[in-house]
Amino acid sequence: MVELLPIGQFSRAVLISPKTLRDYHEAGLLTPAVVDPRTGYRGYRPTQIGEAAVIRELRALDVPLAEIAQVLAARDPDVTRAVLAAHRDRMREQAERVARIADTLDGLLADPGSVTRLAVVERDRAAMPVIAMSASVLESEFAPFLDLAYPRLYGFLAARSVPPAGPAGALYPGDQFSDEPVEVTAFVPVDAPLDGDGEVESRVLPAGRVAVVTFTGPYDELTAAYRAVGTWLAGKHLTTDGPLTETYLVGPDSGLPESDYRTEIAWPVREGEAA
Amino acid sequence: MVELLPIGQFSRAVLISPKTLRDYHEAGLLTPAVVDPRTGYRGYRPTQIGEAAVIRELRALDVPLAEIAQVLAARDPDVTRAVLAAHRDRMREQAERVARIADTLDGLLADPGSVTRLAVVERDRAAMPVIAMSASVLESEFAPFLDLAYPRLYGFLAARSVPPAGPAGALYPGDQFSDEPVEVTAFVPVDAPLDGDGEVESRVLPAGRVAVVTFTGPYDELTAAYRAVGTWLAGKHLTTDGPLTETYLVGPDSGLPESDYRTEIAWPVREGEAA
DNA sequence: TTGCTCCTCACGTCACGTGAGGTGGC
DNA sequence: TTGCTCCTCACGTCACGTGAGGTGGC
């Protein structure tokens, strides 16, 4: 007969609380060697201390229980390596994200009022599936093109009983201001990619880092917002990367006066010196 | 009469989900201008969009709702500055912590088996209130001193009906190996600081960074564990900082054979080159 | 018999997302 | 009348901590 440790003693030996040990039992992570069928009392063998210690080490490194379970089930160094590598990558990403948040807060502290004004913030944007219509048009034709495109896009969704996943927007080339026609895309976000037809195409706007500013006011004053982003970009020595997005948070369909319109401008950026 | 936005339209204007807006309402963070007493329908004024936008910006920076509420209630740049500064400091700490976890995982990846062997890990230790007895004793007198101290410490707790908060341990000077008597402290952790008496003193072991190794086996083989920490410390170019802690996770009172004893050694470390 | 240990719920954490089931408004 | 919007619960998330209320073992 080997010795059996009751949960309290095992708990002190491995520095894991009894409650947590019970949870590990229920989760199948660490099953006691013996469970008294009458009283429910758990009994652990001294040899189980090693396994508990592994769990504790990995938890101290914030490895999720589900992944610890994988490591323990496989008992294979390759699996362990893969799981830990994935976890490490996530930790590194998180560290970078949090450090960037701290930097942004530093910026806000330099001017706390900026939260309430025309503030440019950097943000990580998720990939977004959309339906879209594109055309090559002159700047003076932007508005007529959009007026034509949106009814078609919303009609496309209505015909398929798919609701829009957010407010409509448009893509513009951010790096050329010419008299030539440029590629403009009107889009409406959807929850999941849809098949297009001859006119409406399905796209996924890429995830990435963007500089964002939200402007309240009529469309003919949007240039103030562009000036703000431009100044900000110059100050940060960031280089832009791809077409910029305008999102029409409050637009004509709101029924509100033009002075209440809200437009978000999102400009993809990359680390590094401006060109 | 100003225009009122129903929750869905307001939601699209500020890019906050209706559910979240309802939660903000219930939390008192953002109360709709009008709530229909019969239907419960919420109505928002366009002027509330600005406030909602501030909330969204701060949430995007992971500022907790409770702190956003403080900022909004005070409407005072000094308060805003203080709250954001505190949040930024926490974010920086978290970034450092996560980055260190990633580094530790890198170390484990270099040798995945080390999780299950005599592995040294770095850890942040919380401050720990204890009751303690100290004496200046020769190395050969360590064991007799502890045998004398623990019954008194446990008796002290029993007399006050205070349960120990964890397994007992001892402090040893980590930086001197001499024939002279050295200061040794036996301790038992408690949940909250207690008043001592003439013999038993109340202390709080300081929080800080420690290198930790857990050894399984009899006390006369503990030197293997010390060798492991020593080698590890040398490899990391860390300098030690204060007395080291032995914690007796499984000891004589367990009733288990000596080969099952488990002892944790925690050595305070500081960044920087070893002396 | 008295403490101490152990048991099983149940609830709170934080900021939401995702239904279910039902009603209101054009 | 038909959709669409809005309403209020209720539950899940992740890994625990902290009781409440009751039983087992020396």
Side-chain angles (χ1 to χ4, degrees):
Chain A
M1 266 307 252
V2 281
E3 307 265 0
L4 281 182
L5 302 178
I7 199 168
Q9 206 174 333
F10 192 73
S11 164
R12 287 187 292 279
V14 299
L15 297 179
I16 298 174
S17 82
K19 160 68 154 89
T20 298
L21 287 172
R22 292 188 191 106
D23 285 348
Y24 290 172
H25 178 192
E26 199 190 340
L29 250 197
L30 182 67
T31 305
V34 173
V35 179
D36 186 300
R38 190 172 58 87
T39 65
Y41 275 37
R42 295 166 177 82
Y44 294 86
R45 295 222 169 77
T47 53
Q48 298 191 274
I49 290 177
E51 197 153 357
V54 171
I55 297 176
R56 183 168 114 95
E57 294 308 336
L58 295 181
R59 281 301 300 141
L61 300 175
D62 278 0
V63 180
L65 290 185
E67 291 172 22
I68 298 178
Q70 286 176 36
V71 169
L72 261 40
R75 299 198 166 283
D76 174 342
D78 289 344
V79 172
T80 303
R81 203 181 289 271
V83 167
L84 291 188
H87 184 64
R88 176 206 52 194
D89 292 344
R90 279 200 314 273
M91 289 291 102
R92 290 215 185 281
E93 270 175 43
Q94 194 188 334
E96 276 173 39
R97 178 177 164 269
V98 170
R100 277 200 300 241
I101 287 175
D103 287 342
T104 306
L105 286 170
D106 273 348
L108 281 184
L109 281 176
D111 176 15
S114 66
V115 183
T116 57
R117 289 202 308 274
L118 201 60
V120 181
V121 287
E122 237 181 309
R123 203 175 270 166
D124 288 311
R125 183 174 64 177
M128 181 165 62
V130 300
I131 54 166
M133 289 178 65
S134 299
S136 188
V137 289
L138 288 169
E139 174 133 16
S140 59
E141 297 301 314
F142 284 0
F145 167 67
L146 296 180
D147 287 344
L148 173 135
Y150 289 125
R152 300 224 178 146
L153 290 170
Y154 282 111
F156 179 91
L157 288 181
R160 286 159 182 76
S161 295
V162 172
L171 297 176
Y172 302 93
D175 50 356
Q176 30 183 315
F177 301 93
S178 70
D179 295 340
E180 306 289 305
V182 294
E183 182 84 357
V184 174
T185 303
F187 68 83
V188 175
V190 288
D191 272 329
L194 247 62
D195 285 332
D197 60 19
E199 203 174 41
V200 172
E201 50 173 342
S202 177
R203 294 181 55 174
V204 177
L205 305 189
R209 199 87 186 132
V210 286
V212 177
V213 67
T214 304
F215 173 73
T216 301
Y219 291 142
D220 57 12
E221 292 175 14
L222 259 181
T223 46
Y226 277 101
R227 255 200 315 274
V229 201
T231 308
W232 186 89
L233 285 168
K236 293 281 181 169
H237 302 296
L238 288 169
T239 176
T240 64
D241 183 27
L244 61 89
T245 310
E246 284 187 4
T247 309
Y248 307 110
L249 307 175
V250 176
D253 59 328
S254 69
L256 294 175
E258 271 207 63
S259 58
D260 284 337
Y261 284 8
R262 280 167 64 76
T263 308
E264 185 188 84
I265 300 170
W267 208 318
V269 293
R270 249 195 330 232
E271 307 286 332
E273 292 296 312
Chain B
M1 267 308 252
V2 280
E3 308 264 359
L4 281 182
L5 303 178
I7 198 167
Q9 206 174 334
F10 192 72
S11 164
R12 288 187 291 278
V14 299
L15 297 178
I16 298 175
S17 82
K19 161 67 156 87
T20 298
L21 288 171
R22 291 189 192 105
D23 285 347
Y24 290 172
H25 178 194
E26 199 191 340
L29 249 196
L30 183 66
T31 306
V34 173
V35 180
D36 187 300
R38 189 172 59 86
T39 65
Y41 275 36
R42 293 164 179 83
Y44 294 86
R45 293 222 171 80
T47 53
Q48 298 191 275
I49 290 177
E51 197 152 357
V54 171
I55 297 176
R56 183 169 114 95
E57 293 308 335
L58 295 181
R59 282 301 300 141
L61 300 175
D62 278 1
V63 180
L65 291 185
E67 292 172 21
I68 297 179
Q70 284 176 36
V71 169
L72 261 40
R75 300 200 165 283
D76 174 345
D78 289 343
V79 172
T80 304
R81 202 181 290 270
V83 167
L84 291 188
H87 184 64
R88 176 206 53 194
D89 292 344
R90 280 200 312 274
M91 289 290 103
R92 290 218 184 280
E93 271 173 43
Q94 193 188 332
E96 277 172 39
R97 178 177 163 268
V98 170
R100 278 202 299 242
I101 286 176
D103 287 342
T104 306
L105 286 170
D106 273 348
L108 281 184
L109 282 176
D111 176 15
S114 66
V115 182
T116 59
R117 289 202 306 274
L118 201 61
V120 180
V121 287
E122 234 182 312
R123 202 175 273 167
D124 287 311
R125 183 174 64 177
M128 181 164 64
V130 300
I131 54 167
M133 289 177 66
S134 298
S136 186
V137 289
L138 289 169
E139 174 135 16
S140 61
E141 298 301 313
F142 284 0
F145 167 69
L146 297 179
D147 287 344
L148 174 135
Y150 288 126
R152 299 219 182 152
L153 290 170
Y154 282 111
F156 179 92
L157 289 181
R160 286 159 182 75
S161 295
V162 172
L171 297 177
Y172 302 94
D175 49 358
Q176 27 182 318
F177 299 95
S178 70
D179 294 340
E180 305 290 306
V182 293
E183 181 85 358
V184 174
T185 302
F187 68 83
V188 175
V190 288
D191 272 329
L194 248 59
D195 285 333
D197 61 18
E199 204 175 40
V200 172
E201 49 173 343
S202 175
R203 294 181 54 172
V204 176
L205 305 188
R209 201 86 186 135
V210 286
V212 177
V213 66
T214 303
F215 173 73
T216 301
Y219 290 144
D220 57 12
E221 292 175 13
L222 259 181
T223 46
Y226 277 100
R227 258 200 313 273
V229 200
T231 308
W232 187 88
L233 285 169
K236 293 280 181 169
H237 301 297
L238 289 169
T239 176
T240 64
D241 183 25
L244 60 89
T245 310
E246 284 187 4
T247 308
Y248 307 110
L249 307 175
V250 176
D253 59 327
S254 69
L256 295 175
E258 272 208 64
S259 60
D260 283 337
Y261 284 7
R262 278 166 65 75
T263 308
E264 186 187 81
I265 299 169
W267 208 319
V269 293
R270 250 195 331 231
E271 307 286 333
E273 290 297 313

